[in-house]
Amino acid sequence: MSQLNAQPLTVQVAVLREAGAPLQIESATLGAPSPTEVRVRVVATGVCHTDMVVRDQLFPTPLPIVLGHEGAGVVEAVGSAVTTVAPGDHVVMTYMSCGLCSPCETGHPAHCSHMHPLNFGGGRIDGSTSSCSCADEHPIHDHFFGQSSFSTHAMANERNVVKVPKEAPLELLGPLGCGIQTGAGSVLNALRVEAGSSFVAFGAGAVGLAAIMAARVAGATTIIAVDVTPSRLELALELGATHIINSREEDAVQRVHAITDGGANYSLECSGRADVLRQAIDSISILGTCGIVGATKMGTEASFNINDVMIPGKRIMGIVQGDVVAKAFIPKLVDLYLQGRFPFDKLCKFYPFDEINQAMADSENGVTIKPILRMPSSTTA
């Protein structure tokens, strides 16, 4: 490892200091990589619904903290034990896992036993951080999803960086690390939607639309999008939906049953609303499966009719990050994109880093489906 590259670095970060407050662009010092860490110069990073959930502390984290967890960039320095990436490599950063627990060792690292401390704990598993405020020299919590990519540079781990081909448009790829991966992985990996089957996504945001594109890739022949925003429903048709339902104008459950002649084989709840989850459960067929990916406030409960689940043999599945092994799955999504079969770029809009709060507002207001923040001087060389 280059000792020059391994030195502490002054970076620009977007810091959350109070629950619900706007993020503040500040200067901070980023330390050198530990033996298993990778320092990445962030080219661009997606803005995800989970960033806003944590900004509002519906998922509590220590404060102050640097959020951001859909980063893409160029490796600048690696720790002494890192073997899978090297300086100059293009990478997407994704969720962090321990690699040692039973879920990790059996191919389900997105359900890691240490998921919460590694991704929401505000530091490494031992509680240490990499970032320190330049203003007062106080530590700033980081390692959000193992990366904290609302920064010009991020400290990730060898486990949660995914090497991608240099011919792919790096500034576009960050959302593959969370939102797009979650939607596509839920369909292709967790639910395993089959060719000729029926699928319905409740919520046509980034996750739901990624799921719809993946359902088309999987060969589903009835693909339904449910949302309340006409423009998103129109985009769903462009991306592969065969039917759309505006749930403000008609009963979504009745309409799904009518379209599918008895219920969809698969549904995916992407909105994070308990009442919508009930609709997603009620919309599936005998032996159908409902996947849950929508992030909700901690402690949120939902109800369903037990007999209407038990007697038809319905299945309800919790899904995190599409239950994928990101190092294997993200390159597949890149290949599908380069082949023109997974056009997730149609969901994206770019913003400069200093417009991060506007990007968040536009996402929450439905103006933008997937905001991506470009970092200052974000060349990819």
Side-chain angles (χ1 to χ4, degrees):
M1 176 177 60
S2 166
Q3 291 302 306
L4 176 64
N5 281 345
Q7 298 305 308
L9 184 72
T10 299
V11 300
Q12 296 295 303
V13 296
V15 182
L16 174 68
R17 293 196 169 273
E18 298 179 14
L23 276 58
Q24 304 174 31
I25 305 293
E26 302 180 11
S27 294
T29 300
L30 189 67
S34 73
T36 60
E37 288 185 330
V38 177
R39 194 177 77 204
V40 178
R41 175 174 58 81
V42 180
V43 170
T45 182
V47 176
C48 177
H49 175 64
T50 304
D51 292 311
M52 279 81 85
V53 168
V54 175
R55 178 201 61 193
D56 298 337
Q57 291 291 281
L58 302 179
F59 277 4
T61 61
L63 299 178
I65 191 169
V66 179
L67 301 177
H69 61 285
E70 292 185 338
V74 181
V75 174
E76 281 196 342
V78 299
S80 58
V82 172
T83 60
T84 58
V85 294
D89 284 345
H90 289 192
V91 294
V92 168
M93 292 177 280
T94 186
Y95 67 90
M96 182 58 180
S97 59
C98 75
L100 300 173
C101 66
S102 177
C104 284
E105 291 192 331
T106 55
H108 303 280
H111 295 277
C112 173
S113 298
H114 303 286
M115 174 59 69
H116 190 273
L118 286 171
N119 292 274
F120 296 93
R124 302 181 180 94
I125 194 69
D126 63 3
S128 63
T129 66
S130 297
S131 305
C132 182
S133 170
C134 288
D136 55 20
E137 298 185 354
H138 290 163
I140 300 174
H141 292 286
D142 54 18
H143 287 77
F144 182 62
F145 277 70
Q147 57 181 279
S148 287
S149 55
F150 287 168
S151 173
T152 53
H153 294 74
M155 191 68 71
N157 189 281
E158 183 175 24
R159 282 192 58 77
N160 72 309
V161 294
V162 181
K163 187 175 178 180
V164 292
K166 291 186 176 181
E167 62 267 26
L170 185 58
E171 67 175 7
L172 185 67
L173 301 185
L176 297 180
C178 183
I180 305 301
Q181 169 176 268
T182 295
S186 294
V187 168
L188 298 173
N189 191 67
L191 295 174
R192 297 189 181 276
V193 172
E194 305 104 338
S197 63
S198 54
F199 169 81
V200 53
F202 282 82
V207 174
L209 290 171
I212 285 166
M213 287 186 283
R216 181 169 64 175
V217 168
T221 48
T222 302
I223 303 172
I224 307 167
V226 181
D227 204 279
V228 297
T229 305
S231 61
R232 293 189 176 198
L233 292 170
E234 289 300 317
L235 181 57
L237 287 173
E238 181 181 343
L239 295 175
T242 59
H243 301 77
I244 55 175
I245 300 170
N246 187 323
S247 55
R248 279 188 179 151
E249 298 176 352
E250 55 186 329
D251 186 304
V253 175
Q254 290 183 5
R255 183 72 178 126
V256 170
H257 277 264
I259 292 168
T260 59
D261 193 24
N265 301 127
Y266 302 95
S267 69
L268 191 66
E269 200 300 293
C270 310
S271 73
R273 291 180 51 180
D275 57 334
V276 177
L277 173 58
R278 175 62 186 269
Q279 295 176 44
I281 295 170
D282 290 347
S283 293
I284 55 176
S285 63
I286 295 172
L287 300 178
T289 303
C290 172
I292 307 171
V293 296
T296 62
K297 181 180 179 180
M298 297 294 284
T300 300
E301 296 184 355
S303 65
F304 57 86
N305 185 309
I306 294 173
N307 285 326
D308 283 350
V309 171
M310 179 186 69
I311 293 171
K314 295 181 179 181
R315 298 167 178 84
I316 302 171
M317 176 187 293
I319 305 171
V320 176
Q321 295 287 339
D323 191 21
V324 303
V325 176
K327 284 182 181 290
F329 190 71
I330 289 175
K332 294 177 182 178
L333 292 183
V334 173
D335 286 345
L336 285 168
Y337 170 75
L338 293 175
Q339 292 173 12
R341 299 169 62 197
F342 191 77
F344 73 96
D345 57 307
K346 294 183 179 181
L347 314 181
C348 302
K349 178 181 177 180
F350 288 96
Y351 295 75
F353 184 39
D354 61 6
E355 293 183 12
I356 183 170
N357 293 302
Q358 185 63 55
M360 286 183 157
D362 287 354
S363 176
E364 291 178 299
N365 295 332
V367 174
T368 302
I369 296 174
K370 173 54 67 176
I372 298 179
L373 303 172
R374 284 191 177 109
M375 294 299 158
S377 302
S378 56
T379 58
T380 57

